[in-house]
Amino acid sequence: MSAARKRPRASQSRAILALDLDCFYAQVAIRSRPHLANRPVVILQKHLCVTSNYVARRLAHGAVQKMTPVSTALKACPDIVCIDGSDLTPFREANAEVLAVIRAWLHAKVTELGVGSFPIPCQKLGFDEVFIDVSRLVAEQVTAGGRPWEFQGHIFGRTDDDASRRALMVASQLASELRKEITLRTKLTLCAGISESKLLAKLAVNMNKPNDQTIFLSGDAAQYIAGRHPRSLPGFGYAVEGKISAWAKRNGKEDIKTAADVVQWFGDGKKGFASLAKVLDNDDQARKILELCQGTDTSPVIESGDAPKSLTSMDSFRSCTKIEDAERRVTIRAKDMVTRLRRDWELYGRRPKTLTVGFRFRGDGYHATMRAIPMPQEIVSLCSSKGADAADRSIIALSRAALFVLKDHAGVSASSTFDMTLISIGASAFTENKTEKNATSTKKETVASFFAPKEGKGMSSVCRPPNGRLLQNRSSPNPRRPLSPNASFSRCPICNEVLSSLLAKASLHVDQCLRRSETVSPARKRSKTASNTFRVDTFFQRK
Ligand code: DCP
Ligand code: MG
């Protein structure tokens, strides 16, 4: 055993950092337009402001919020500079830049300690947020001793636990150093929340904005959370609120106002829990929601890697009623997706196994329907090919596949009447990256394993659409519900034939079916009840 490993380590209290870039899109846009540094700026997607810089927030006295219509923003602040933010590429790149600085800094910190390497999990959350579990780094720093520790940043709450206090002191110094490093390297400012759990760190990060940090000492956390509206708690979403509100109404209670209401209604032992599990139709979710409302969060920071789990190219619009317009819109999405898939291959050497097509029709409200099919092999090969016309050919192949799904499962064709308001193309279920792939190159992927639910990865479930063909529905209302034992995982989603057990062969079969489908598959009438839906605005309502 090395000398380093024999050293006693201070007992390990949890120390989690939550980092959140300030007015992210606005900062990135202003970084490349320095003359706008002191001007009020909003970033627009269509006619909505998705964010604004802090100058605009101040001048508009709160009238310019995320998702404010541009007309309202201009009324509140006529001098506001509007920048189009529909191309997300610069934001994706800035996100990767920040992550690279974080990784390099953490690596340097670990190396500096001279105790051998150890992992520091970083979990990305959206474009501009990341959780970092620095518990081990803190413990090693305390063991190494050296400098007097003190809190850096605002302190919220109190604690009688000395070990936790000291751990968060060290963590606050690390957060402060890391924030300085990120700003130095990327010219972007950010906030940090420092606490014992992801929940409290995430709440702390929003307490002093911008360019500042807050330490949340957990002594009175339960009391603090009890008084808040549960929707302000990360993880308590729109759907959960809706179900609990409906239950409250049915049971003659007032509408849900605070997290304490949830605890009072459902926190009373086994009976209360069973009742919440029934309301939510999900035991795991009921457990998490109850813990959340009680201020408890033991969930680990899960290393999310640098590569995104899935890629989606989405466009929403007022109206699309002509097949030519639908084809044009699909081609634009396909072009964007192919560019990203090719870049993804260059960076991570991985291939997607699932193609998801999303659509929404007038009258569907915020709900879009998602359909997933195995990613055609032709697209996978073309996206990793250096051939001169490979990119163009993959755009054609991807457009054809997406149009097939729209035609066959949404009834969108030259001879049908439709009015679409959203189209999306997604790629997901990526194979491992180059190095991991080499390590597991002997493992053959089968169609059964392709469709099999993956542990801890937001399982896909299988549904049978009205036309009887097998589809994957990635947005089932209850994604954790076990798959039906009668579900068949080995049929072609297009012709319903039994597929080869090897994924490559199965995907080739799907390719051929897609090509044939253009001539033989009649457009289907769209089912009136779009049952398999997800809320497009979930992302927009996450705070
Ligand atoms: N975003 C979006 N649509 C929304 C909310 C956010 O497109 N409804 C984008 C724009 C934001 C980015 O995501 O810049 C990050 O979201 P945040 O909620 O972290 O907001 P900001 O970083 O802009 O502001 P803050 O300083 O409050 O973190
Ligand atoms: Mg932010």
Side-chain angles (χ1 to χ4, degrees):
M1 192 184 276
S2 72
R5 294 194 65 193
K6 275 188 217 149
R7 285 162 16 121
R9 236 191 302 136
S11 73
Q12 206 164 303
S13 288
R14 280 187 98 204
I16 312 290
L17 311 185
L19 306 182
D20 182 345
L21 275 292
D22 299 325
C23 55
F24 182 50
Y25 287 11
Q27 273 209 89
V28 173
I30 293 169
R31 187 173 62 163
S32 55
R33 300 165 179 87
H35 59 285
L36 295 179
N38 299 314
R39 302 275 310 274
V41 170
V42 280
I43 304 298
L44 300 184
Q45 280 174 1
K46 303 278 159 84
H47 63 292
L48 295 176
C49 307
V50 288
T51 194
S52 57
N53 66 349
Y54 279 80
V55 180
R57 294 185 200 188
R58 213 173 30 248
L59 289 179
H61 302 291
V64 180
Q65 303 274 333
K66 286 161 204 164
M67 307 313 277
T68 301
V70 63
S71 51
T72 313
L74 282 167
K75 260 185 223 146
C77 185
D79 289 342
I80 215 157
V81 178
C82 300
I83 299 180
D84 177 42
S86 51
D87 178 8
L88 301 183
T89 315
F91 313 128
R92 267 186 217 115
E93 282 169 2
N95 167 272
E97 234 180 281
V98 171
L99 207 66
V101 173
I102 294 175
R103 298 243 189 247
W105 185 84
L106 290 172
H107 179 75
K109 275 280 149 195
V110 171
T111 312
E112 199 179 282
L113 280 164
V115 295
S117 77
F118 53 87
I120 301 183
C122 298
Q123 183 174 3
K124 288 189 288 180
L125 193 69
F127 261 176
D128 78 332
E129 293 173 54
V130 60
F131 286 116
I132 311 175
D133 185 340
V134 290
S135 311
R136 172 91 190 265
L137 186 57
V138 163
E140 295 289 359
Q141 295 258 355
V142 171
T143 306
R147 55 177 157 172
W149 301 108
E150 56 185 31
F151 284 121
Q152 287 202 0
H154 304 263
I155 300 171
F156 184 82
R158 46 155 217 97
T159 183
D160 300 328
D161 179 343
D162 285 343
S164 168
R165 211 180 151 74
R166 186 177 49 186
L168 296 186
M169 259 179 205
V170 180
S172 73
Q173 294 202 200
L174 292 172
S176 172
E177 274 181 48
L178 176 55
R179 284 181 42 241
K180 278 188 196 135
E181 177 77 3
I182 293 170
T183 306
L184 181 76
R185 305 262 168 225
T186 66
K187 309 275 177 287
L188 298 171
T189 62
L190 67 155
C191 288
I194 302 119
S195 197
E196 284 172 23
S197 68
K198 282 161 58 174
L199 169 64
L200 300 185
K202 171 99 174 117
L203 291 173
V205 79
N206 292 322
M207 287 180 180
N208 291 286
K209 286 185 152 193
N211 196 15
D212 212 333
Q213 62 180 52
T214 309
I215 303 112
F216 194 143
L217 302 174
S218 64
D220 301 325
Q223 207 182 328
Y224 170 77
I225 283 173
R228 292 180 64 103
H229 193 284
R231 275 306 302 284
S232 67
L233 303 174
F236 196 107
Y238 175 88
V240 171
E241 184 189 25
K243 286 178 187 172
I244 297 182
S245 288
W247 174 90
K249 208 168 175 185
R250 282 198 306 275
N251 288 275
K253 313 230 181 253
E254 281 194 19
D255 202 6
I256 181 168
K257 283 199 199 69
T258 61
D261 291 339
V262 179
V263 178
Q264 194 194 334
W265 296 336
F266 304 108
D268 186 16
K270 275 189 191 160
K271 206 171 147 209
F273 170 76
S275 161
L276 183 59
K278 199 167 157 208
V279 171
L280 301 178
D281 190 22
N282 187 325
D283 287 13
D284 275 356
Q285 195 180 26
R287 197 165 295 115
K288 278 185 197 140
I289 291 295
L290 261 185
E291 283 178 1
L292 191 62
C293 293
Q294 289 161 335
T296 314
D297 174 25
T298 52
S299 65
V301 174
I302 297 168
E303 174 57 60
S304 51
D306 293 347
K309 293 256 176 305
S310 60
L311 306 178
T312 305
S313 182
M314 183 192 298
D315 188 20
S316 58
F317 32 86
R318 275 181 202 281
S319 176
C320 166
T321 55
K322 299 256 183 309
I323 190 67
E324 296 77 20
D325 190 23
E327 283 169 0
R328 185 182 63 82
R329 290 180 187 279
V330 163
T331 308
I332 294 170
R333 291 305 108 214
K335 195 170 173 203
D336 179 43
M337 183 51 66
V338 164
T339 309
R340 288 167 62 194
L341 281 172
R342 290 173 70 80
R343 180 82 183 127
D344 193 275
W345 169 256
E346 266 170 43
L347 288 174
Y348 311 114
R350 29 174 226 164
R351 295 157 185 264
K353 290 186 279 182
T354 300
L355 166 65
T356 312
V357 179
F359 47 89
R360 185 179 65 198
F361 291 92
R362 182 158 302 285
D364 287 351
Y366 285 115
H367 291 89
T369 302
M370 303 294 277
R371 296 297 192 218
I373 63 170
M375 181 65 82
Q377 194 64 28
E378 184 188 3
I379 299 169
V380 172
S381 313
L382 284 169
C383 281
S384 53
S385 157
K386 286 201 164 58
D389 58 351
D392 287 349
R393 284 169 57 209
S394 31
I395 294 167
I396 294 168
L398 187 53
S399 303
R400 193 176 55 216
L403 282 165
F404 164 76
V405 176
L406 286 179
K407 182 179 175 189
D408 205 48
H409 300 296
V412 172
S413 76
S415 56
S416 65
T417 312
F418 59 86
D419 189 356
M420 269 194 295
T421 57
L422 176 144
I423 291 173
S424 75
I425 296 183
S428 57
F430 285 89
T431 54
E432 298 87 355
N433 65 27
K434 271 173 192 157
T435 36
E436 284 162 352
K437 215 165 54 188
N438 291 344
T440 57
S441 57
T442 50
K443 192 177 148 199
K444 283 206 174 145
E445 182 111 39
T446 64
V447 172
S449 70
F450 167 81
F451 283 114
K454 304 281 187 293
E455 190 69 37
K457 283 202 176 166
M459 289 179 203
S460 301
S461 62
V462 173
C463 69
R464 210 168 268 282
N467 63 17
R469 290 178 181 173
L470 191 71
L471 293 171
Q472 262 187 296
N473 167 25
R474 294 175 46 74
S475 56
S476 155
N478 182 359
R480 294 209 166 266
R481 189 160 43 209
L483 299 174
S484 151
N486 301 324
S488 156
F489 302 130
S490 53
R491 288 178 181 276
C492 170
I494 294 148
C495 70
N496 211 24
E497 263 180 34
V498 173
L499 290 170
S500 156
S501 62
L502 289 175
L503 184 66
K505 274 195 181 169
S507 291
L508 274 175
H509 171 100
V510 174
D511 285 19
Q512 284 160 6
C513 265
L514 276 171
R515 284 200 198 101
R516 274 202 303 271
S517 71
E518 296 212 314
T519 48
V520 300
S521 169
R524 264 162 223 288
K525 244 188 152 193
R526 187 164 70 92
S527 145
K528 282 263 183 252
T529 50
S531 54
N532 307 309
T533 58
F534 79 117
R535 286 188 65 84
V536 177
D537 61 343
T538 320
F539 170 70
F540 300 130
Q541 297 189 348
R542 71 205 159 104
K543 280 189 177 169

